[in-house]
């Protein structure tokens, strides 16, 4: 089954995930999500596939933009998702997708388990 990886080439964990998938000889597609135009529908579908009940679970809360936008005080889910669309650096990475399931690819053992 094909694996799709939402990848940020500047992130060591993301590069590691791509390497693990390639070493496993999986058919894969790498999506540089920072260069893509993300939509509300795509993000909501991904949240569901990840099994998250809140967009905040998928956010990098230590990013400067998280603090600048005062997202810790935002409770509206659509507003949180929109912040991630406008600032994709907020998205936890890497994301691995297989069928209708997705995971955040950390630690490496989680990737290996997901592939098997």
């Amino acid at each position: 089954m094909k694996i799709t990886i939402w990848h940020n080439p500047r992130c060591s964990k993301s590069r590691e995930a791509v390497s693990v998938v390639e070493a496993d000889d999986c058919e894969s597609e790498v999506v540089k999500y920072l260069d893509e135009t993300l939509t509300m529908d795509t993000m909501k579908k991904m949240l569901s596939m990840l099994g998250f009940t809140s967009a905040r679970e998928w956010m990098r809360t230590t990013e400067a933009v998280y603090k600048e936008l005062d997202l810790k005080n935002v409770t509206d889910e659509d507003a949180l998702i929109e912040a991630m669309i406008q600032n994709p650096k907020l998205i936890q990475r890497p994301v691995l997708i297989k069928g209708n399931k997705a995971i955040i690819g950390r630690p490496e053992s989680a990737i290996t388990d997901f592939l098997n």
Side-chain angles (χ1 to χ4, degrees), residues 13 16-17 20-21 24 94 96 98 103-116:
K13 296 298 183 188
E16 181 179 284
V20 170
V21 170
D24 202 60
L96 283 79
K98 179 172 71 172
I103 64 162
I104 303 298
R106 294 188 316 267
E108 184 179 330
S109 60
I111 299 168
T112 304
D113 291 346
F114 187 65
L115 296 176
N116 300 320

Side-chain angles (χ1 to χ4, degrees), residues 2 17-18 80 89 92-93 98:
K2 181 176 167 182
V18 170
L80 291 172
K89 286 199 287 186
Q92 289 282 356
R93 58 189 181 259
K98 179 172 71 172

Side-chain angles (χ1 to χ4, degrees), residues 44-63:
K44 285 184 174 184
K45 179 179 178 186
M46 192 61 61
L47 280 164
S48 176
M49 291 170 68
L50 286 162
F52 293 154
T53 57
S54 171
R56 194 174 317 278
E57 294 175 78
W58 192 18
M59 296 181 96
R60 297 174 54 84
T61 59
T62 58
E63 287 290 332

Side-chain angles (χ1 to χ4, degrees), residues 33-99:
Y33 69 94
L34 293 173
D35 299 334
E36 298 289 319
T37 302
L38 302 172
T39 67
M40 185 67 71
D41 286 343
T42 298
M43 296 296 283
K44 285 184 174 184
K45 179 179 178 186
M46 192 61 61
L47 280 164
S48 176
M49 291 170 68
L50 286 162
F52 293 154
T53 57
S54 171
R56 194 174 317 278
E57 294 175 78
W58 192 18
M59 296 181 96
R60 297 174 54 84
T61 59
T62 58
E63 287 290 332
V65 69
Y66 184 86
K67 293 172 180 70
E68 290 166 13
L69 297 175
D70 196 29
L71 294 173
K72 71 177 179 180
N73 292 313
V74 174
T75 57
D76 179 84
E77 285 296 312
D78 284 349
L80 291 172
I81 294 168
E82 188 60 38
M84 293 167 67
I85 290 169
Q86 297 302 317
N87 304 279
K89 286 199 287 186
L90 288 168
I91 298 172
Q92 289 282 356
R93 58 189 181 259
V95 178
L96 283 79
I97 305 151
K98 179 172 71 172

